[in-house]
Amino acid sequence: MKNQRIGMDLTTGPILPALLVFVLPIFLSNTIQQLYNAADLMIIGKFAGSQGTVGVSTGGEIVSLLTFISNGFQSAVQVYIAQLAGKKEHEKIRDTIGTAMTFLLLTSGVFTLLTLVFCRDLLGLLNTPPEAWEQAYGYMVITALGLPFIFGYNAVCGILCGMGESKRPLEFITVAAVSNIALDILFVAVLKQGAAGTAWATVIAQGFAFLASLLFLYRKREQMGFAPCARQTFGCGGASPAGRMQVYFGIQRQHLKVLLKLGIPLAIQSAFIHVSQIYCAARVNEYGLVLSAVNSVGNRIVRLANILTISMNAGTSAMIGQSLGAGKHDRVKRIVYTGLFVGAAIGFVNTLMAILIPEQIFAIFSSDPEVIRYGVTYMRISMITFILSSIHGPFGGVVTGSGYSRLNFIIGMLDGVILRIGISLFLADIAGMGVYGYFYGNALARLAPLCIASAYFFSAKWKTRKLLSER
């Protein structure tokens, strides 16, 4: 590479400072993303009432599911590139960039088409309340058009985080957040377009973030070996083959095979978890508009509170991937223990807030007294989630960072299908707890990922796994 490397070398230096410096931008990026998603819910709740809230929440379920699938492939890209970066395999990094970008953009186009075709059928499966049907339909159709932006942006973020660069995605998502909130106010509060206005604000903001990430890739194309051509045969770089850049918009089979073997189980894991959440949300919708709104707002609050888990998993998996690529197993242990310390501190804060100010938290998203009253119970139950999730992140980072995709698949099955749905149905129908059974089932499902991931870490089997590039 002609210029200085992009990102941090996460294989050297003290663990805690490196972890904080690397994870903090990821944490802020995820926080901003969830906050501007929450802004959608707050604005629509204030100006369109519970119908708008349920319309946005229900109409966004399928796109959220596809976003989770995209996140699975983002993790695959990140881990693969992190291991390659740890081994200093720069040629393979360049080849992987073009393969990942091309594959994910093509995949997003297919998902967009399928969502548009089956939109009404999907809303029926979700038991969408009749009062919110039209708003949910408009929201789903419009946000489906933004899927290429989501998949493309996640591809770029996976590439950069794998190389140890976590600050740039923070800049990209900040652009999206500012745009989204401003457009939300314009479309919903001023122009009174309801859920459709929120959807257009979201899609335009996603487009801005993707454009900003593409511009960064183009500016750094010489350092990353990335060139926006269609085929390697024609070249884009120098006058001779040796001087040409090696990566293009195109798919190279050997790298696609690795990404699919790692990404499909990760995507299925995310899909299982989210599908189970959609199923439980659909069952909660049967209890009426108020409890449907409670579930919608509560899920958003939990996602905000659990940003640390997502951030620590992403950060530690990148650090662990690079360390494994460099053959530094002792460093992996130190990364996990440091991550547990940070995670436990944040989990304590989340739990304390759920105990002391549950009404105030719910009141941010809804002005309905009934929603806030039920929301207090929801927050009390969510303390289980906060505790389990706060210590899962670093252990999950070992599973993901070592490229153990099959174990992630098993975790997704247990979390999504067996525990969340199984516990929810048992508590709601057999134990007679009604809607609260679904709230408890969603919280207790976190037991499976924590137990399995921690057992894998303490077994030390991750030390003997071959690197992704060696398989």
Side-chain angles (χ1 to χ4, degrees):
M1 296 187 181
K2 296 180 180 180
N3 303 317
Q4 64 182 12
R5 70 167 275 153
I6 293 176
M8 299 170 56
D9 183 352
L10 302 173
T11 64
T12 60
I15 299 293
L16 183 58
L19 182 64
L20 293 178
V21 169
F22 183 66
V23 171
L24 182 60
I26 298 176
F27 175 76
L28 293 175
S29 297
N30 289 331
T31 301
I32 291 173
Q33 185 169 10
Q34 289 297 329
L35 284 175
Y36 88 70
N37 288 337
D40 290 346
L41 204 59
M42 287 191 300
I43 293 173
I44 199 71
K46 296 295 183 182
F47 292 95
S50 293
Q51 291 182 4
T53 299
V54 176
V56 169
S57 178
T58 306
E61 288 289 4
I62 300 301
V63 173
S64 294
L65 168 62
L66 297 176
T67 301
F68 275 98
I69 292 175
S70 172
N71 291 339
F73 280 103
Q74 176 187 343
S75 297
V77 173
Q78 175 181 308
V79 170
Y80 187 31
I81 287 183
Q83 291 191 6
L84 294 174
K87 289 189 67 178
K88 315 298 182 185
E89 297 270 10
H90 300 303
E91 294 290 335
K92 291 183 178 179
I93 291 175
R94 290 194 290 262
D95 293 342
T96 302
I97 293 173
T99 299
M101 291 290 295
T102 305
F103 169 72
L104 287 177
L105 286 173
L106 290 174
T107 302
S108 68
V110 174
F111 283 139
T112 297
L113 181 61
L114 291 174
T115 304
L116 294 176
V117 170
F118 296 105
C119 181
R120 292 189 179 276
D121 298 318
L122 293 169
L123 288 174
L125 291 174
L126 292 172
N127 292 325
T128 305
E131 307 95 319
W133 179 277
E134 289 303 320
Q135 300 219 39
Y137 176 78
Y139 191 86
M140 183 180 291
V141 168
I142 296 168
T143 52
L145 300 176
L147 285 173
F149 300 145
I150 295 173
F151 276 66
Y153 170 77
N154 283 344
V156 177
C157 289
I159 292 164
L160 295 178
C161 287
M163 298 179 71
E165 172 57 79
S166 59
K167 295 179 182 178
R168 295 298 179 177
L170 174 59
E171 297 175 5
F172 306 150
I173 203 64
T174 301
V175 171
V178 173
S179 304
N180 188 83
I181 294 173
L183 291 171
D184 262 335
I185 295 172
L186 173 63
F187 290 145
V188 180
V190 178
L191 300 180
K192 308 297 183 182
Q193 293 188 15
T198 300
W200 281 119
T202 299
V203 169
I204 294 171
Q206 290 165 346
F208 286 154
F210 180 45
L211 179 61
S213 66
L214 277 183
L215 289 174
F216 176 77
L217 278 187
Y218 183 77
R219 290 203 319 268
K220 301 295 182 180
R221 61 191 182 278
E222 291 189 12
Q223 291 169 253
M224 303 179 71
F226 179 77
C229 304
R231 296 286 296 173
Q232 181 173 345
T233 305
F234 300 102
C236 284
S240 65
R244 294 176 182 171
M245 299 179 198
Q246 299 298 311
V247 136
Y248 305 82
F249 272 118
I251 293 176
Q252 296 196 20
R253 186 178 302 174
Q254 66 272 30
H255 299 296
L256 179 62
K257 184 177 180 181
V258 174
L259 292 176
L260 289 176
K261 289 185 69 174
L262 181 59
I264 288 176
L266 286 171
I268 292 176
Q269 176 201 16
S270 298
F272 275 142
I273 293 172
H274 197 64
V275 165
S276 69
Q277 291 173 337
I278 291 176
Y279 172 81
C280 291
R283 293 296 301 269
V284 171
N285 287 346
E286 297 174 359
Y287 289 86
L289 191 64
V290 170
L291 288 171
S292 179
V294 170
N295 191 58
S296 300
V297 172
N299 283 338
R300 185 60 56 89
I301 292 172
V302 169
R303 289 173 190 171
L304 279 169
N306 281 340
I307 290 173
L308 175 67
T309 302
I310 300 170
S311 304
M312 291 300 295
N313 195 315
T316 54
S317 64
M319 293 188 73
I320 288 168
Q322 285 198 16
S323 298
L324 289 174
K328 297 184 176 181
H329 296 152
D330 288 339
R331 185 174 179 84
V332 172
K333 291 183 178 181
R334 297 200 302 273
I335 292 170
V336 171
Y337 292 134
T338 304
L340 287 173
F341 172 77
V342 177
I346 301 298
F348 174 77
V349 173
N350 287 338
T351 302
L352 197 62
M353 291 176 66
I355 295 172
L356 299 178
I357 53 171
E359 297 97 337
Q360 292 86 339
I361 294 174
F362 249 77
I364 296 173
F365 300 93
S366 177
S367 56
D368 188 330
E370 285 295 294
V371 172
I372 296 173
R373 183 171 67 86
Y374 282 105
V376 173
T377 303
Y378 190 100
M379 291 299 295
R380 297 284 192 262
I381 296 171
S382 294
M383 290 190 295
I384 300 171
T385 305
F386 300 148
I387 294 171
L388 297 178
S389 297
S390 65
I391 55 180
H392 166 254
F395 291 129
V398 178
V399 179
T400 305
S402 64
Y404 199 169
S405 55
R406 292 181 182 177
L407 188 57
N408 269 318
F409 175 82
I410 294 172
I411 289 174
M413 279 288 293
L414 291 173
D415 183 339
V417 179
I418 297 175
L419 287 184
R420 180 173 285 105
I421 294 179
I423 293 175
S424 295
L425 291 177
F426 175 80
L427 294 178
D429 298 336
I430 298 177
M433 295 179 64
V435 70
Y436 297 112
Y438 292 99
F439 297 163
Y440 274 107
N442 188 55
L444 292 171
R446 270 74 175 186
L447 280 170
L450 174 59
C451 292
I452 295 175
S454 60
Y456 177 65
F457 169 71
F458 288 115
S459 73
K461 292 183 178 179
W462 47 271
K463 294 181 180 180
T464 59
R465 287 190 63 80
K466 290 183 178 181
L467 297 177
L468 294 170
S469 60
E470 297 173 346
R471 298 177 195 171

